Structures are given as C-alpha cells and as structure tokens.
Amino acid sequence: MLLPRWRSALDHERMSEVEKILLISLGHPELVLGGSPVVCQELFDELRTRAGVECTMLAAVDRDAGDVHQPKAGITGFDGRDGVYLLHQTDHDYWLHRNNEPLLVDRFIALLRAIEPDVVHFHHFMSIGLDLIGTVRRILPSCRILFTFHEFAAICAADGHMVRRTDRSLCDRASPVRCHQCLPDRQPDEFLIRKMWLERHLSHVDRFTCPSRFMIEPYVNWGIPRDRISHVTNGQRSRVVRPMLTPPDGPRNRFGFFGLLHDDKGVTVLLRAVSLLRETGFTQFRIDINGGGIQHASAPVRREIETFQEAERLLPAAERIVSFNGAYSLDQIQSRMARVDWTIVPSVWWEIFGLVISEAWMFGRPVICSNVGGMAERVTHEVDGLHFEMGDPASLAATIRRACTEDGLWQRLHAAVPAPPSRAEMADGFLALYEAA
C-alpha cells in the first residue's frame, strides 16, 4: 500500500509569482507513435500560453528515434525548440523501469538544478525510469510531483494493457500467480518484488491522475490511495482548418478506422466483420483503413491483415470494399475524416481514452466502438454513437449493416456528438491540481 507522503506547511509556500513546470513525456509526438506524447505536447503548448507559467518539456527517446538519438549525450535540446529537451535513453531496465546509465541521471540532476521547477509532472515511466521520481524528491524536496497514468503499466507487466496473454481476455486485477501465467519466464515472487519497487518510487508522488474515470478503481485496488488519484481529461487543439463540406445524399455507408495496425487495436475484428457481410451479399458500404505501424503487430495478426489486403487488391475495383490508405499525420486528419461518415474504434483492450474519438467528434462523426473501458465511458450508446460487443465480428457486422440501412440513425447520432475536450480544459484541470498538491 502506498503511504501518503508527509508535507510541511513550508513545502506549500510559493516562492515566486512564476510557476515553473517541468513535463516529462514518453517520447515526442514527432518521433514516437502513441497517444501520451501527443497529450503531453498539447499540455506543453497550452501552458506556454498561460500568464505566470514557465513550462519546460523533457521527452525520452531511444534508438527507435533514429539519428536523433544521441546515446552518449544524456540530455540535449531538440531541433532548436525553446523549452524542449530530449532524454536519450541508453540502458533502460524495462522490467523494473530503472536507469542503468549514471550519465543520464547526472544530466537529469543538472537540468533540475538549472530549471528549479515548482512542479514536475511525469506522463509515464517507460523509457524514463521510476528512479527519476525519487531523484526529483531528493534534489528538490519541496517540489510538487504529479504522475499521469496513460495505461495500466504499473499494474500490468505484460504491455500495460491488462489483456491476458493466455486467452486474450480482459484482465481486471494483478496477482503474482495471475501475472506469472501471462509471463511464465518470470516467477511469482518476481512480480511481488516488482510491485514493491513500483510502490517505493511512486510513494514520492503527491497526486496521480488518469484521463478516464474507469481507471481509478483498478489503481485504488492495486494500492494507490483514493484521495491521491483523480480524473483529468485528455485535451487537444482543434484540427478543423476549413469548413467541412456537406456529405453527399444517400446512405451513410462510409466507415473509417484510424490508428496503429497492431493487435490490441482490433483491426482484424473489423476485417472479419467485412468478410461476414460480404458472404451474406451485403456490400453497399466502404471501409477506409488509416494507419501504419503494422511492424509492431504479432506475426499472426500481421499475416491476417496482409492476406486480406492482398486479396482485396486482386479484386476488380468495383468489388473492393476496404481501402488501405497508410499512415497519416495530424495535419491530414481532416481530409481523412472528410471521406467517412462513421469512425470505428474496434479495440480489443480497455482503450484508456481513445484520442481518435475526440478527433472523430471534431468533425461531427459518430463513433462505433467496442463496449468496454474508455470507449464505453466516452461514447454513449444510442445517444451519440453505437457500441458493439468487443472482439465479436458478427456484432460489429450487424452494427455496420444497421448504420448503413436505418433511416435517420446517422442524423440523430450526429446531432448529439459532443464537442471534444479542448487542451485548455485539460490545462485548467492540471493547473488546479498543481496548486492543490
């Protein structure tokens, strides 16, 4: 159990009118795929616009960043950008999430002393190191420390997704034996030691946050004190750069998938649903697959996607249903969204928040999603979108058919699509916590 950290009244004194904030991110969105770097960048950009706030961002990178990675440098600037630094990870222990490179820790200490932040806000510990949390507390004892959980990496050593590797079912709790079943190369007592290590370093954190409310209970059950964890939404700037054209008359039968093509995003569920509909003779719809990263998929999932893609390519153009459009940048999101009526989020894990849901809402697109986790929390079934049974191609196929054929359904759901959380709303939430910590 994490114990509340003692704070004196002196710790809460504000020594200057300018609040200095250091954000620490798992990667930079221009170098690393994923939602948490995007969120951290959005928060950084918004805080830089606020009076009385001085914000710095430190983004961890490793060899996957290519030539940008400088393994002997420790910490450097990034492309001449004001207030942005890169932490060049070289020897990270991905089991205990600690740094084994003294130079990196020394450079981090030097950065802390140069900036002297009032608040350090960690947005992950992967590629960053849990030990850097304790380093902040040791070097800056009165600094306020926040930590945002962007998934379940503290609870789940198997990718942080809380999906059972034995049968791909969703997991609702961790224990030494259950975790050993997913990672049989690790003995049960190793998971106990890992949890003790995590608790030790996370005990330095003043406040924890998560972007979806459903995450709070699993973390409380794991050991985070309930009074130290709260919900702050993820926010983004609007990606609408020009008025959207009115969709063409006729059925709303254009669907889009947006995201990485790896196992937990569920693209194979969507492709199987297409095959089921095609077998019944229902082909009056189109699917756009927008995304890359197939190299991160498991061999069976990659093989299934590539086999479907090749079979689709060999069909006459008039018989093709699915288009594979490749990866895209956020600057291209409007043109991709303009081609679809619905956004499908078929994830087969808890999907903590789903930034793609916010992106769909920016352009008034109702979302069809799996009925679990952050997706089910955000999308209200039959109000602003539709749910289907997670992992069930037949359920998704029935929902696609209904979306294509039910008169007035798209119009009703489209009218109720909410505005997505803005980055200003997110920053306001965090600033309130920085003050209260």
Side-chain angles (χ1 to χ4, degrees):
M1 188 72 176
L2 292 174
L3 298 176
R5 199 182 67 80
W6 180 81
R7 301 295 299 271
S8 70
L10 183 60
D11 287 335
H12 291 282
E13 290 184 4
R14 306 299 182 244
M15 303 305 294
S16 68
E17 293 182 1
V18 176
E19 185 88 326
K20 291 184 286 185
I21 299 167
L22 172 61
L23 305 178
I24 302 181
S25 170
L26 169 62
H28 190 280
E30 294 182 25
L31 304 174
V32 177
L33 297 173
S36 66
V38 171
V39 171
C40 194
Q41 179 72 51
E42 293 282 8
L43 180 59
F44 170 77
D45 290 341
E46 179 64 26
L47 291 177
R48 298 275 285 188
T49 71
R50 300 297 180 97
V53 173
E54 184 179 302
C55 191
T56 303
M57 179 176 171
L58 176 64
V61 295
D62 58 21
R63 63 178 62 91
D64 290 341
D67 292 341
V68 173
H69 184 228
Q70 301 178 43
K72 297 182 180 180
I75 292 176
T76 67
F78 178 38
D79 202 27
R81 302 179 194 196
D82 186 32
V84 181
Y85 297 87
L86 298 181
L87 182 152
H88 298 273
Q89 189 56 257
T90 57
D91 189 14
H92 186 75
D93 178 346
Y94 282 93
W95 174 247
L96 295 177
H97 296 286
R98 64 182 174 187
N99 293 290
N100 293 324
E101 175 51 65
L103 172 65
L104 189 146
V105 178
D106 289 345
R107 295 292 169 83
F108 181 67
I109 291 172
L111 182 69
L112 290 177
R113 287 176 170 156
I115 298 173
E116 293 189 332
D118 302 296
V119 175
V120 175
H121 184 174
F122 288 84
H123 280 262
H124 223 301
F125 51 70
M126 287 185 179
S127 293
I128 296 166
L130 283 159
D131 48 312
L132 295 191
I133 301 175
T135 300
V136 174
R137 180 61 67 219
R138 177 167 58 87
I139 301 302
L140 301 171
S142 59
C143 178
R144 288 156 277 153
I145 302 176
L146 275 80
F147 191 101
T148 294
F149 293 114
H150 286 281
E151 18 107 298
F152 292 114
I155 303 174
C156 175
D159 305 322
H161 284 183
M162 293 190 74
V163 175
R164 301 277 283 161
R165 289 189 175 181
T166 52
D167 60 3
R168 304 302 300 171
S169 64
L170 296 182
C171 181
D172 61 358
R173 67 193 184 282
S175 75
V177 171
R178 285 172 62 83
C179 294
H180 166 69
Q181 291 169 346
C182 285
L183 297 171
D185 291 340
R186 297 281 183 179
Q187 295 304 307
D189 59 347
E190 293 184 75
F191 294 96
L192 180 60
I193 293 169
R194 179 182 184 271
K195 185 173 189 291
M196 293 170 63
W197 172 264
L198 283 158
E199 288 181 325
R200 173 189 170 190
H201 290 283
L202 293 177
S203 67
H204 296 297
V205 175
D206 295 303
R207 294 295 296 268
F208 299 90
T209 73
C210 46
S212 294
R213 292 180 176 85
F214 88 95
M215 297 176 67
I216 293 175
E217 209 60 34
Y219 270 109
V220 169
N221 291 338
W222 182 77
I224 301 294
R226 190 179 295 276
D227 62 353
R228 284 168 57 191
I229 186 168
S230 54
H231 166 252
V232 178
T233 188
N234 288 338
Q236 292 171 273
R237 74 193 73 191
S238 174
R239 296 291 172 179
V240 179
V241 296
R242 56 188 177 275
M244 293 288 284
L245 299 177
T246 303
D249 293 334
R252 304 300 183 192
N253 60 358
R254 305 174 303 163
F255 302 82
F257 169 93
F258 297 81
L260 296 173
L261 304 184
H262 62 60
D263 299 34
D264 290 341
K265 292 299 183 181
V267 68
T268 54
V269 177
L270 175 55
L271 298 182
R272 292 171 192 173
V274 171
S275 296
L276 289 175
L277 290 167
R278 182 177 263 149
E279 288 170 5
T280 67
F282 186 80
T283 59
Q284 298 305 306
F285 65 101
R286 294 293 178 267
I287 304 284
D288 277 6
I289 304 292
N290 300 286
I294 196 170
Q295 68 273 18
H296 300 298
S298 66
V301 167
R302 180 172 184 170
R303 185 163 51 249
E304 182 174 348
I305 294 172
E306 291 178 340
T307 299
F308 186 103
Q309 185 176 8
E310 178 62 14
E312 201 77 1
R313 186 186 68 81
L314 295 174
L315 290 173
E319 296 179 21
R320 296 173 194 162
I321 294 174
V322 180
S323 298
F324 289 82
N325 300 325
Y328 60 95
S329 68
L330 289 176
D331 291 338
Q332 298 171 304
I333 189 70
Q334 179 160 358
S335 63
R336 300 283 181 108
M337 284 286 178
R339 305 175 194 173
V340 305
D341 304 305
W342 308 81
T343 295
I344 298 179
V345 186
S347 297
V348 290
W349 74 293
W350 296 104
E351 193 65 68
I352 296 308
F353 185 78
L355 288 176
V356 67
I357 295 173
S358 292
E359 290 159 359
W361 288 351
M362 288 178 192
F363 302 100
R365 272 36 184 178
V367 172
I368 296 171
C369 65
S370 303
N371 60 341
V372 299
M375 299 169 288
E377 179 177 313
R378 300 192 67 202
V379 176
T380 305
H381 184 51
E382 296 287 358
V383 175
D384 52 45
L386 298 172
H387 295 175
F388 66 93
E389 193 65 36
M390 186 205 78
D392 184 351
S395 178
L396 177 53
T399 304
I400 290 173
R401 183 191 287 265
R402 179 188 172 198
C404 293
T405 59
E406 184 174 319
D407 289 342
L409 178 64
W410 185 89
Q411 289 79 2
R412 174 170 65 84
L413 300 178
H414 165 74
V417 166
S422 67
R423 73 182 195 185
E425 180 182 345
M426 172 177 64
D428 289 344
F430 282 125
L431 286 170
L433 282 181
Y434 298 160
E435 181 64 26

